[in-house]
Amino acid sequence: MKRSESSPATIEAPKRLRTLTADLQRLEAKLRRGGGADKIERQHKQGKLTARERIELLVDPGSYAQEIGLLVAYDQYDGGAPGAGVVTILGRVSGREVMIVANDATVKAGSWWPETIKKILRAQEIAMRSHVPIIYLVDSAGVNLPYQGGVFPGQYGASRIFYYNSIMRHYLKVPQISAVMGPCIAGGAYLPALSDIIIMVEGTSFMGLGGANLVKGATGQTIDNETLGGARTHNEVSGVAHYRVASDEACIARIREFVLELPPKSLPAVSISEAAAAASSAARLYEILPEDHRQPYDMRQVLECLLDAGRLEEFQADYAREMITGHARIGGIPIGVIANNRRMTKSAGAGPPRFGGIVYTESAEKVAFFIDTCNRHQTPLLFVQDVSGFMVGAEAEHSGIIRAGARFVEAMATTAVPKIVLTINHASGAGYYAMAGQGFDPDFIYSWPTGRMGVMEGDSAVQAVFGTQLDKLKRTAEDPDAQLIADMNQVRETYERELDAKYAAARGFVDAVIAPEDTRSALELSLRTALNYSGPHIGQFVLPAC
């Protein structure tokens, strides 16, 4: 899979963004090794490729692919569940955008943790919303039994996967291709059974509601797995599978043929032009963001590194300058840009200056109108988040900021065009919601390593929790005692940990933490994926009218 060639190493001065990106890349490299060298070797000795080797063969050579949810559960289970045992990739196969779900059998034999379900469901939601084919590379021992209580039951337990299978197959007509390339056991067998195409690999694949050992225990019947549910059995006897191939490599080649033979995708609702390079290199991004996340910077310089030719046709450029809105292109695709301006700006007339990253009444109204315009023109939206929240105080309340904020949120929530989110720094308070936070079902949501997602910053939380005590001590000219200082520091440390972009990614609050040099490629691929479907992008999936 092609990665961007620029690197943070090309910049000499140490920067916060550079340090956090290097930390991220080290963590990602570790997670991509899955269960480790010995487990990879074991997979090879079984005559099988690993999940990542299969994906490397499947996606188009030289194309950019975006992994979704790599960091999920990385800080749980004592580090024993890298990637939650499943690899989910947005990429191109035979020139077409697809979602790929591949069990990583080097991690606990590809068994399912609760977070495995979360990742598979997210991949299915992307396929459903954008109507792109989804490919399952199945190699799983089934439920990770010690954690079955978080896997088996519930509205978003494993059964939800099969519900989504059925919705895609019956209503949405989303192509689903399943390759059984290892074990596929118990309820997990319904995933390929509900697909359009099932391929099995001779000698290494098995599909059955129970393996040979379970059959012997339940019925007393003695049988081997190959006879019970191997590739030949399900192609010759049961008719469950549709194709039988000799190897993993042959299986991948067949999948690429199937994708190539699918009906052509529909034309996008927007006019895509030839792509132009950004005005500034991605390496420049490492110099723009300040060392202290609280300090201002020029958001327009960031946009110059992301947009085609760095060009933004600003909408109401002189009004409510704390919010930047305008029309641009990425990879030739027209988009509406909504970004938080982190610089202090002048108010109209003799009013006081306005803080960067804050949403005021006028800016909320400006953005709501802009969203409505983009929606009418079917223009996808890119939200570039660095928002500290909505303005508070008497003047803000009297100006009707609650009404204006609600108008902003409603316009964002009900727009039917694709929404892509990129968090640069802060994603705080209600401002995070208005800027297309995860709860409002953006098509894709990414963060840089500098992203900080939370209700408020640690210092603000300390003031909210301990403010009354501190004010009392101040009135009596007393200093906080050691216990109070320790309690305040504990709050700060907790907020600092939970504000980290990796913490959000580990819990699926963002699809991926991406390096600045990969941002344009990730955004372009996401936009092209979303534009496979010209219907309304509202909710996890929208069924056609009956």
Side-chain angles (χ1 to χ4, degrees):
M1 291 170 285
K2 183 180 179 182
R3 309 299 295 178
S4 298
E5 294 181 359
S6 58
S7 166
T10 60
I11 304 297
E12 293 183 1
K15 286 284 183 180
R16 175 174 60 103
L17 177 56
R18 161 199 288 286
T19 301
L20 292 175
T21 300
D23 290 344
L24 171 70
Q25 290 170 338
R26 283 191 290 270
L27 174 59
E28 287 182 332
K30 177 182 177 182
L31 294 173
R32 288 192 177 102
R33 291 194 289 270
D38 58 331
K39 300 297 192 301
I40 293 172
E41 180 62 24
R42 181 181 178 184
Q43 187 91 341
H44 290 163
K45 286 181 178 178
Q46 293 173 349
K48 300 193 294 184
L49 300 175
T50 66
R52 294 187 181 278
E53 289 168 343
R54 290 163 176 165
I55 292 170
E56 193 74 29
L57 284 177
L58 180 58
V59 298
D60 292 347
S63 66
Y64 180 85
Q66 178 60 55
E67 185 157 358
I68 304 296
L70 174 58
L71 270 61
V72 167
Y74 88 90
D75 57 358
Q76 297 175 258
Y77 310 108
D78 297 322
V86 65
V87 184
T88 48
I89 295 279
L90 177 68
R92 292 188 178 93
V93 174
S94 299
R96 189 163 187 154
E97 292 81 26
V98 303
M99 264 315 301
I100 304 168
V101 177
N103 300 113
D104 187 351
T106 72
V107 180
K108 296 290 184 182
S111 58
W112 290 3
W113 277 269
E115 292 76 18
T116 313
I117 309 303
K118 180 184 292 186
K119 287 186 65 173
I120 296 173
L121 291 177
R122 176 60 185 144
Q124 290 181 309
E125 288 170 2
I126 290 171
M128 288 190 290
R129 187 196 304 270
S130 298
H131 288 218
V132 296
I134 185 166
I135 300 167
Y136 308 102
L137 307 181
V138 184
D139 191 352
S140 172
V143 173
N144 192 334
L145 293 177
Y147 303 100
Q148 67 85 28
V151 174
F152 177 73
Q155 182 180 3
Y156 289 93
S159 62
R160 192 78 175 187
I161 295 172
F162 315 133
Y163 173 57
Y164 283 175
N165 278 140
S166 305
I167 294 294
M168 283 190 277
R169 182 173 169 84
H170 188 76
Y171 288 110
L172 302 181
K173 317 302 182 191
V174 170
Q176 298 180 84
I177 301 172
S178 283
V180 181
M181 309 179 80
C184 180
I185 297 173
Y190 289 117
L191 186 147
L194 288 163
S195 298
D196 302 310
I197 293 171
I198 304 173
I199 315 166
M200 295 187 72
V201 181
E202 292 179 355
T204 58
S205 65
F206 168 82
M207 184 164 46
L209 297 183
N213 290 335
L214 180 61
V215 168
K216 184 173 178 60
T219 69
Q221 182 182 12
T222 300
I223 191 171
D224 62 89
N225 277 334
E226 186 65 25
T227 306
L228 178 64
R232 188 170 293 277
T233 294
H234 281 310
N235 275 273
E236 287 186 0
V237 181
S238 72
V240 169
H242 308 127
Y243 300 93
R244 174 170 52 89
V245 294
S247 65
D248 279 10
E249 291 84 354
C251 184
I252 296 300
R254 185 63 64 89
I255 294 171
R256 288 184 55 81
E257 292 173 2
F258 288 142
V259 175
L260 189 62
E261 293 166 359
L262 289 172
K265 60 185 182 181
S266 60
L267 293 174
V270 297
S271 176
I272 299 178
S273 63
E274 184 176 349
S280 299
S281 72
R284 171 73 178 132
L285 292 166
Y286 288 93
E287 292 297 294
I288 296 172
L289 257 64
E291 285 291 274
D292 189 333
H293 64 87
R294 295 166 294 189
Q295 295 301 310
Y297 63 92
D298 191 342
M299 178 62 82
R300 289 179 177 82
Q301 290 183 4
V302 172
L303 296 176
E304 286 176 1
C305 300
L306 301 180
L307 307 177
D308 286 6
R311 182 177 179 182
L312 177 69
E313 294 292 339
E314 281 203 51
F315 173 82
Q316 289 193 305
D318 299 322
Y319 181 70
R321 297 177 182 177
E322 63 275 6
M323 291 295 295
I324 300 171
T325 54
H327 298 278
R329 288 179 184 264
I330 290 180
I333 303 168
I335 57 170
V337 177
I338 299 165
N340 302 108
N341 185 357
R342 290 302 300 191
R343 286 185 162 181
M344 296 284 285
T345 58
K346 292 182 179 180
S347 298
R354 294 191 164 186
F355 297 103
I358 301 294
V359 182
Y360 290 77
T361 299
E362 294 86 351
S363 48
E365 293 170 341
K366 166 182 168 178
V367 175
F369 187 90
F370 180 72
I371 290 173
D372 286 344
T373 300
C374 289
N375 191 49
R376 284 193 293 273
H377 298 168
Q378 294 186 284
T379 305
L381 293 170
L382 171 64
F383 292 81
V384 186
Q385 283 189 353
D386 194 345
V387 60
S388 298
F390 280 79
M391 190 58 186
V392 296
E395 183 178 347
E397 298 295 354
H398 296 169
S399 71
I401 195 165
I402 293 176
R403 179 182 62 249
R407 173 77 183 90
F408 181 176
V409 169
E410 182 182 34
M412 176 276 300
T414 58
T415 183
V417 300
K419 300 190 290 281
I420 316 291
V421 180
L422 174 65
T423 301
I424 300 293
N425 264 336
H426 309 92
S428 302
Y432 160 71
Y433 292 158
M435 291 291 288
Q438 189 189 34
F440 291 91
D441 280 327
D443 292 67
F444 296 93
I445 181 166
Y446 301 120
S447 176
W448 280 357
T450 45
R452 301 170 65 82
M453 188 179 298
V455 175
M456 61 184 69
E457 289 288 325
D459 287 337
S460 299
V462 166
Q463 185 60 38
V465 175
F466 301 102
T468 301
Q469 292 173 259
L470 294 173
D471 288 344
K472 184 178 180 180
L473 290 172
K474 186 176 182 180
R475 287 194 299 269
T476 58
E478 296 179 70
D479 294 325
D481 60 23
Q483 183 59 54
L484 181 56
I485 291 173
D487 291 343
M488 290 191 296
N489 287 338
Q490 180 62 48
V491 169
R492 289 190 183 94
E493 291 170 5
T494 299
Y495 267 73
E496 196 63 27
R497 182 178 68 256
E498 295 183 357
L499 284 165
D500 190 290
K502 296 193 297 297
Y503 181 92
R507 283 143 191 86
F509 299 155
V510 297
D511 287 320
V513 182
I514 57 177
E517 60 267 27
D518 290 331
T519 303
R520 264 179 60 88
S521 296
L523 293 177
E524 180 184 350
L525 177 59
S526 301
L527 286 163
R528 289 189 182 277
T529 300
L531 289 173
N532 274 264
Y533 178 56
S534 59
H537 286 243
I538 297 175
Q540 295 169 352
F541 53 88
V542 179
L543 301 183
C546 294

